[in-house]
Amino acid sequence: MSLYTRFTAHLDTVLDILEADGVLPTGLNRKPVTVEPPRDASHGDLATNAAMVLAKPAGTNPRALAEAIVEKLEGLTEVASASIAGPGFINLTLTDVTWRSELAVLAEEGDDYGRSDIGQGVTVNVEYVSANPTGPMHMGHCRGAVVGDALATLLEYAGHKVIREYYINDAGGQVDVLARSAHLRYREALGEAITIPEGLYPGDYLVLVGEALMHDFGDTYKDKPESEWLGLFRKRAVEYMMILIREDLGKLGIKHDVFSSEAELQAAGKPDEAEAWLRAHDLVYDGVLEAPKGELPDDWEPVVLPLFRSTKFGDDQDRPIKKSNGSWTYFGADMAYHYQKAQSADQLIDIWGADHAGTVKRIQAAVAALTEGKARFDVKLIQMVRLLRDGEPVKMSKRAGNFVTLADVVQEVGKDVVRFTMLTRKADAQMDFDFAKVVEASKDNPVFYVQYAHARISSLGRRAEEAGIVLPAPDLSLLGTAELGLIKLAAQFPRVVEGAALTREPHRIAFYLNDLASAFHGWWNMGNDDPRARVILADDPALTSSRLFLSRGIGQIIRNGLALMGVAALTELN
RNA sequence: GCACCCGUAGCUCAGCAGGAUAGAGCAUCAGAUUCCUAAUCUGAGGGCCAUGGGUUCGAAUCCCGUCGGGUGCACCA
């Protein structure tokens, strides 16, 4: 239990007592009551707004209530002092012993320091990546992949059951194009000279697929009409693409639990089931869409389509679930897919590129309809990443097939750098990824800065050994003011993890680690001005041992934080 | 025309489950290196949190309008 959680419980007990004493009426809503570190450290270690938010419903004034609460809180052994400030804040200062013992807790819990059960075992399905199976992964997919994966890890750490899922879009027109492109490469593998026409995928990665297909089928389908091979080639080419994609994901350290196929979903009749249910509830009807506002497409004509009443759930327009040729729209299938996911999870999260922002409302409407409002469902939009090389945008053309692949980037800068960097911005803010900057060894680069702190800590252990200092058991009472400051920041880690999990914002971990690293570097550098402030003091094994203990604690937190981000901690820099 | 996202220091961005005097890095200026890795650190200046209202004891944070930027707008995925 984190220190903050513990004090929330303490405060709760105090409020119970005040209720029993008749100072507070029973049944007050305590939800707005918070226990947090104050922004300004001079206000103490913890602050609560309890008196302010409860005074009004209790029919008393904040100061009087605060006094009653303070009186009880002062009785706690962990509290050094409690005071009332401003409009009714209660500020607590904890004893040094309390903080020092938190350091012992950290050492004791190790890799689990920061783990919590706030998720209460609720199952969350996180669907991320879901790149079309028509080619290798490129950098456009990267950020969503990392954010989704880190979020999944974070939720697990916070006590959720997590299903990591990938939706294979293998039923649309683009996989026909893939099949035709693969067939062309197949003919090429059989010795034919080919030219790639406009509209087919030109990428080199299909050469291998063509060769594989040649091994699979010999020349059986070389000159056959499309109708004889299209379905088969589609299926086989998608399989090969998924092997490629899994490999790419593996390079980023990402492994999904479930891969769901859109084609299989349709073959199993899931969209039909969803449609039938929705029709029975008058949520699907046959109708004609209004002409789109703004510029009218050339080929627009009114047609009757089965429409889902997404307007009933806040969308601007009802949405077709089938095309005029009778096949399912992407939305029609996706709707059924989300319904299927909701069968095995309490909550759903989709990680999407921001270019799909326009379709969020309809899928949320569909989930609300099909689960009758029971499943929490969030769509997290991931903004674009601009690739730069020394400040200049990297030119890419998907049509020419020369997009920057994820594998190339991982190869160039490394998995850990890619993952960390992708988490140094809030997901819904655009970001730049500069090949030069992300590997720069300077404090401008948080990836490096955090790793450097960890490397320094690791070096301390080695140094102490080399110096041959015989270390006694650490005596935490030797740690002074500067060390306590570091401990207080370290003790916030569990709170940061909880906050990141609740708001589903994994980037908070990266920012916290940067702050922690900064505090550590500052502490370390005190040793430059004052040699007595160094960690390793050959003539003072007791102090050395205590400071090493603290350093290791900081190192532990950096490792825990990095682990949540899927990044390995470095023990030395090269 | 409509919807969504964004607007915080000169620049890049945190902070937004409402909390006290709005933070960090870069850049600028002034300092620290016989050093446990200075690949670092210390300090200073720099803000009508786009704007106008509203809710609240309290708003950068929540709600509405306006302005500015980005994205997407029929049976593409």
Side-chain angles (χ1 to χ4, degrees):
Chain A
M1 184 189 289
S2 87
L3 187 136
Y4 294 91
T5 316
R6 195 162 77 233
F7 269 86
T8 305
H10 283 331
L11 181 63
D12 232 25
T13 309
V14 167
L15 295 176
D16 286 342
I17 294 170
L18 291 177
E19 273 187 14
D21 292 351
V23 178
L24 278 176
T26 53
L28 287 183
N29 176 19
R30 293 182 190 174
K31 231 180 153 192
V33 175
T34 58
V35 177
E36 327 176 286
R39 193 172 287 170
D40 188 336
S42 69
H43 291 139
D45 296 325
L46 295 175
T48 176
N49 60 356
M52 285 183 291
V53 293
L54 295 178
K56 201 175 193 180
T60 175
N61 73 69
R63 283 209 81 95
L65 181 54
E67 277 168 31
I69 296 172
V70 162
E71 192 188 327
K72 304 286 184 204
L73 287 174
E74 277 178 332
L76 297 170
T77 52
E78 291 177 299
V79 174
S81 69
S83 61
I84 304 167
F89 283 103
I90 296 170
N91 293 327
L92 299 180
T93 301
L94 307 185
T95 62
D96 291 351
V97 172
T98 304
W99 286 113
R100 291 191 189 114
S101 63
E102 186 67 12
L103 188 56
V105 171
L106 161 59
E108 164 101 27
E109 294 185 354
D111 292 345
D112 288 327
Y113 187 73
R115 193 181 282 280
S116 74
D117 56 3
I118 55 168
Q120 298 180 311
V122 169
T123 303
V124 185
N125 181 304
V126 186
E127 184 211 322
Y128 59 110
V129 188
S130 299
N132 284 338
T134 54
M137 293 198 41
H138 53 84
M139 274 308 274
H141 303 119
C142 182
R143 190 176 182 187
V146 171
V147 171
D149 198 55
L151 179 58
T153 307
L154 180 61
L155 291 173
E156 272 171 349
Y157 204 64
H160 284 283
K161 285 205 183 88
V162 173
I163 300 168
R164 297 158 194 255
E165 185 147 343
Y166 186 119
Y167 184 46
I168 308 171
N169 303 137
D170 53 359
Q174 86 282 359
V175 283
D176 288 338
V177 176
L178 174 72
R180 291 187 190 106
S181 308
H183 187 261
L184 195 64
R185 294 294 191 173
Y186 160 73
R187 280 161 48 197
E188 183 183 41
L190 286 164
E192 203 173 312
I194 60 157
T195 53
I196 300 166
E198 187 79 6
L200 291 192
Y201 299 129
D204 292 340
Y205 58 88
L206 287 171
V207 173
L208 286 170
V209 175
E211 286 169 7
L213 289 166
M214 179 183 73
H215 286 293
D216 292 345
F217 303 122
D219 61 358
T220 311
Y221 296 104
K222 188 168 184 284
D223 300 310
K224 293 281 164 41
E226 186 176 289
S227 58
E228 289 190 27
W229 51 260
L230 187 68
L232 183 62
F233 272 51
R234 191 166 53 201
K235 187 165 183 295
R236 199 54 72 89
V238 166
E239 283 167 8
Y240 286 129
M241 286 303 105
M242 287 311 297
I243 291 172
L244 209 62
I245 286 171
R246 281 183 219 231
E247 264 179 30
D248 286 347
L249 286 169
K251 287 172 185 156
L252 262 186
I254 292 172
K255 197 165 175 289
H256 289 82
D257 303 314
V258 178
F259 288 82
S260 292
S261 151
E262 181 184 2
E264 285 173 19
L265 185 90
Q266 293 195 21
K270 298 292 179 186
D272 306 271
E273 287 173 26
E275 181 185 4
W277 190 90
L278 289 168
R279 277 190 191 273
H281 291 76
D282 191 33
L283 291 167
V284 163
Y285 65 101
D286 295 314
V288 180
L289 282 178
E290 282 177 37
K293 303 281 193 284
E295 211 169 323
L296 203 61
D298 302 338
D299 57 347
W300 188 85
E301 54 183 28
V303 268
V304 175
L305 294 170
L307 302 176
F308 168 61
R309 288 193 198 279
S310 48
T311 47
K312 224 181 139 179
F313 302 87
D315 201 358
D316 333 308
Q317 200 174 38
D318 290 339
R319 304 291 174 178
I321 60 172
K322 278 183 180 172
K323 305 177 199 170
S324 50
N325 68 9
S327 65
W328 294 101
T329 61
Y330 182 82
F331 170 64
D334 204 26
M335 177 181 83
Y337 171 56
H338 280 75
Y339 180 63
Q340 176 178 286
K341 284 196 290 186
Q343 303 306 301
S344 56
D346 305 305
Q347 301 182 359
L348 306 179
I349 299 176
D350 284 5
I351 309 288
W352 287 3
D355 51 337
H356 290 81
T359 63
V360 171
K361 276 188 179 174
R362 74 191 65 165
I363 195 67
Q364 283 183 324
V367 172
L370 286 163
T371 67
E372 299 178 86
K374 282 177 198 134
R376 176 177 171 188
F377 171 45
D378 290 340
V379 178
K380 247 187 125 47
L381 295 177
I382 309 295
Q383 278 292 345
M384 297 296 141
V385 176
R386 203 162 56 123
L387 282 182
L388 303 171
R389 203 172 271 285
D390 297 319
E392 292 298 313
V394 176
K395 290 201 179 71
M396 279 185 277
S397 159
K398 202 171 180 182
R399 263 177 48 174
N402 69 346
F403 42 75
V404 176
T405 68
L406 183 136
D408 288 343
V409 177
V410 172
Q411 171 79 33
E412 182 173 337
V413 305
K415 173 199 86 159
D416 291 334
V417 166
V418 170
R419 290 192 63 125
F420 197 116
T421 304
M422 289 298 161
L423 294 167
T424 54
R425 285 278 181 285
K426 198 165 44 171
D428 51 17
Q430 294 190 2
M431 81 182 292
D432 289 347
F433 184 97
D434 191 314
F435 284 92
K437 285 196 175 150
V438 297
V439 295
E440 192 176 276
S442 81
K443 63 177 172 175
D444 310 354
N445 180 4
V447 186
F448 168 80
Y449 190 70
V450 171
Q451 291 284 21
Y452 184 36
H454 190 265
R456 276 183 156 173
I457 290 164
S458 305
S459 84
L460 285 173
R462 296 192 295 265
R463 289 275 170 178
E465 242 173 80
E466 287 166 16
I469 304 173
V470 181
L471 297 171
D475 173 4
L476 300 184
S477 69
L478 297 176
L479 298 176
T481 314
E483 284 83 5
L484 281 172
L486 211 43
I487 293 172
K488 287 175 186 180
L489 185 56
Q492 291 201 33
F493 181 66
R495 210 180 108 77
V496 170
V497 175
E498 284 184 11
L502 284 172
T503 55
R504 296 171 170 183
E505 294 183 338
H507 76 277
R508 292 183 181 212
I509 306 293
F511 280 90
Y512 169 79
L513 289 183
N514 203 54
D515 288 347
L516 185 66
S518 174
F520 176 78
H521 286 309
W523 180 62
W524 170 288
N525 271 66
M526 288 171 69
N528 285 336
D529 297 330
D530 175 10
R532 295 306 302 166
R534 291 181 192 166
V535 175
I536 295 174
L537 300 166
D539 59 351
D540 194 342
L543 190 52
T544 300
S545 173
S546 306
R547 287 184 177 161
L548 260 182
F549 188 74
L550 168 61
S551 303
R552 289 197 173 117
I554 304 298
Q556 179 74 58
I557 290 179
I558 293 177
R559 279 196 301 284
N560 292 5
L562 288 178
L564 288 173
M565 299 165 70
V567 175
L570 299 177
T571 53
E572 54 190 313
L573 304 170
N574 302 313

